[in-house]
Amino acid sequence: MGAPLLSPGRGAGAAGRRWWMLLAPLLPALLLVRPAGALVEGLYCGTRDCYEVLGVSRSAGKAEIARAYRQLARRYHPDRYRPQPGDEGPGRTPQSAEEAFLLVATAYETLKDEETRKDYDYMLDHPEEYYSHYYHYYSRRLAPKVDVRVVILVSVCAISVFQFFSWWNSYNKAISYLATVPKYRIQATEIAKQQGLLKKAKEKGKNKKSKEEIRDEEENIIKNIIKSKIDIKGGYQKPQICDLLLFQIILAPFHLCSYIVWYCRWIYNFNIKGKEYGEEERLYIIRKSMKMSKSQFDSLEDHQRETFLKRELWIKENYEIYKQEQEEELKKKLANDPRWKRYRRWMKNEGPGRLTFVDD
């Protein structure tokens, strides 16, 4: 009786098992195939093992590594190296001694830091992760040595100092401008005369002042009176330390908690209990409807805010009517403005989109 014939499926399966048995011993070698070995030129100590360079084991502690480095550094230091007859090793000449010294220093820099040493040990144990080793090596080399928090703190302080001096400069410019406006200068001069400040500036004594000195002193007196009597708001207001970026960041949690408490009270008093709005709440609703910041709204004249309250602009319908009136008034002003008329005439005759030919 002949041998049973194998079906195509069974034959293919048997052949596949035979190939698997033949390739099984080769799998470890195939898995270890990598672009390069564990020691790569350009990473850490290159093709040399950092532990072998220092002559220590992988279990060596920091003290042993430091001691081995000091001994080798003294031996291969270019300024102290003296070749001896029969000396064999990496430093047989001054040039090779310098190379050996740099290699020892690189090995010590690699092994003295715990994080860098951990990356190096991982590279020795997992040589197949070629590109990962490059990433860890250069990410640590190019990483900033200074703590990021210190950099942020110094940057915030620098910005705050710049803010303060910039605001103070703007404030002084505003005072100097107001001192040239006749309305405010006359009032400041009258106050200075009433207080007898101008007479003190012109007093004659042992230290006689020149006309320029008297003029400068009178100008400073007028400016100081303007500073004390006029409340400048907006972008030219007197700088406050609490408005600087550094203090705003420090006080941010306090402001957040205050806003949450204020919002809860608003909901409870006006949405749940149905209380009537006070003057402060009405002005807040008007400011939000006008989409103005607090500093912009505070810079408005008092009579303007009184007009808003009289017209009850916190009510949405009243505000829509007021807004439409302001738009109509603006259109009338623009229609009667000669500059706006010239602009419209130019846009009609010579504006963009019009192609003309000029005859010579």
Side-chain angles (χ1 to χ4, degrees):
M1 187 173 180
L5 295 175
L6 294 175
S7 64
R10 291 177 60 187
R17 284 194 295 272
R18 284 197 300 270
W19 278 108
W20 173 256
M21 292 176 65
L22 291 173
L23 292 175
L26 300 177
L27 280 178
L30 293 174
L31 292 175
L32 292 177
V33 174
R34 55 189 180 275
L39 302 176
V40 183
E41 188 67 37
L43 296 184
Y44 305 106
C45 297
T47 56
R48 297 286 304 277
D49 190 331
C50 293
Y51 291 101
E52 293 180 358
V53 170
L54 295 180
V56 297
S57 63
R58 289 186 62 173
S59 60
K62 288 186 175 180
E64 185 179 352
I65 291 173
R67 185 166 53 252
Y69 166 70
R70 286 194 294 270
Q71 292 175 357
L72 293 173
R74 285 196 295 268
R75 178 181 176 185
Y76 293 116
H77 196 283
D79 296 337
R80 303 175 60 180
Y81 178 73
R82 296 292 182 272
Q84 299 178 1
D87 189 8
E88 295 182 358
R92 292 188 297 271
T93 64
Q95 291 78 12
S96 58
E98 184 178 356
E99 295 175 0
F101 178 78
L102 294 176
L103 183 61
V104 169
T106 303
Y108 177 66
E109 291 294 328
T110 301
L111 300 180
K112 75 172 183 178
D113 183 67
E114 292 184 2
E115 297 296 329
T116 308
R117 183 178 180 181
K118 188 184 299 183
D119 291 341
Y120 183 71
D121 291 341
Y122 186 83
M123 185 186 76
L124 296 178
D125 297 334
H126 302 82
E128 69 278 359
E129 300 181 15
Y130 181 77
Y131 299 105
S132 175
H133 302 324
Y134 265 98
Y135 168 75
H136 288 294
Y137 176 76
Y138 284 105
S139 63
R140 292 198 183 279
R141 287 197 58 153
L142 301 178
K145 303 300 181 182
V146 184
D147 192 349
V148 178
R149 292 170 293 183
V150 176
V151 176
I152 294 174
L153 179 60
V154 172
S155 301
V156 170
C157 292
I159 293 172
S160 301
V161 172
F162 176 78
Q163 273 184 323
F164 182 78
F165 284 104
S166 177
W167 287 350
W168 192 261
N169 186 38
S170 300
Y171 176 70
N172 288 332
K173 285 183 178 179
I175 295 298
S176 300
Y177 170 74
L178 293 175
T180 61
V181 178
K183 174 183 175 181
Y184 301 109
R185 188 175 185 86
I186 292 172
Q187 293 179 5
T189 305
E190 292 297 327
I191 294 173
K193 289 180 179 179
Q194 292 174 4
Q195 296 178 357
L197 298 176
L198 296 180
K199 292 182 180 179
K200 293 181 180 179
K202 296 180 180 180
E203 284 182 354
K204 296 180 180 180
K206 294 181 180 180
N207 299 324
K208 189 175 180 181
K209 301 177 182 178
S210 63
K211 291 183 179 180
E212 293 182 357
E213 292 176 345
I214 294 173
R215 192 183 305 111
D216 292 340
E217 190 170 346
E218 290 179 351
E219 192 69 20
N220 291 330
I221 291 171
I222 292 173
K223 288 181 180 179
N224 290 331
I225 292 175
I226 292 175
K227 288 180 181 179
S228 61
K229 297 298 181 180
I230 294 182
D231 184 18
I232 302 176
K233 297 179 180 179
Y236 294 92
Q237 64 184 1
K238 189 174 183 179
Q240 302 291 333
I241 295 180
C242 60
D243 293 332
L244 299 178
L245 177 62
L246 177 62
F247 290 91
Q248 288 293 314
I249 294 175
I250 294 173
L251 298 174
F254 171 75
H255 291 315
L256 179 61
C257 294
S258 301
Y259 176 76
I260 293 173
V261 172
W262 172 86
Y263 188 74
C264 293
R265 286 181 179 177
W266 182 283
I267 299 261
Y268 177 74
N269 291 329
F270 304 114
N271 293 1
I272 298 176
K273 297 187 68 175
K275 287 185 178 181
E276 292 186 1
Y277 295 126
E279 181 177 339
E280 184 178 352
E281 289 78 15
R282 291 171 180 175
L283 290 174
Y284 172 78
I285 296 174
I286 294 171
R287 178 169 67 83
K288 288 297 182 183
S289 300
M290 293 182 172
K291 298 179 181 180
M292 299 175 65
S293 64
K294 191 175 185 304
S295 59
Q296 290 174 333
F297 194 78
D298 291 341
S299 63
L300 298 176
E301 299 291 339
D302 293 336
H303 67 86
Q304 289 178 297
R305 290 196 288 270
E306 291 175 0
T307 303
F308 298 158
L309 294 173
K310 287 180 181 179
R311 298 197 57 173
E312 299 182 351
L313 297 186
W314 65 89
I315 301 174
K316 187 175 181 180
E317 292 77 9
N318 295 343
Y319 176 74
E320 292 296 334
I321 295 172
Y322 172 80
K323 183 179 178 181
Q324 189 174 1
E325 291 176 356
Q326 292 297 313
E327 291 176 355
E328 293 295 333
E329 186 176 351
L330 179 61
K331 289 180 181 179
K332 290 180 180 179
K333 287 183 179 180
L334 292 176
N336 297 325
D337 189 356
R339 290 177 298 179
W340 178 248
K341 288 181 178 179
R342 287 197 299 268
Y343 175 74
R344 287 187 300 173
R345 194 181 305 115
W346 177 81
M347 287 293 293
K348 180 179 179 181
N349 299 326
E350 306 293 341
R354 182 178 176 83
L355 182 64
T356 58
F357 293 93
V358 179
D359 297 331
D360 295 334

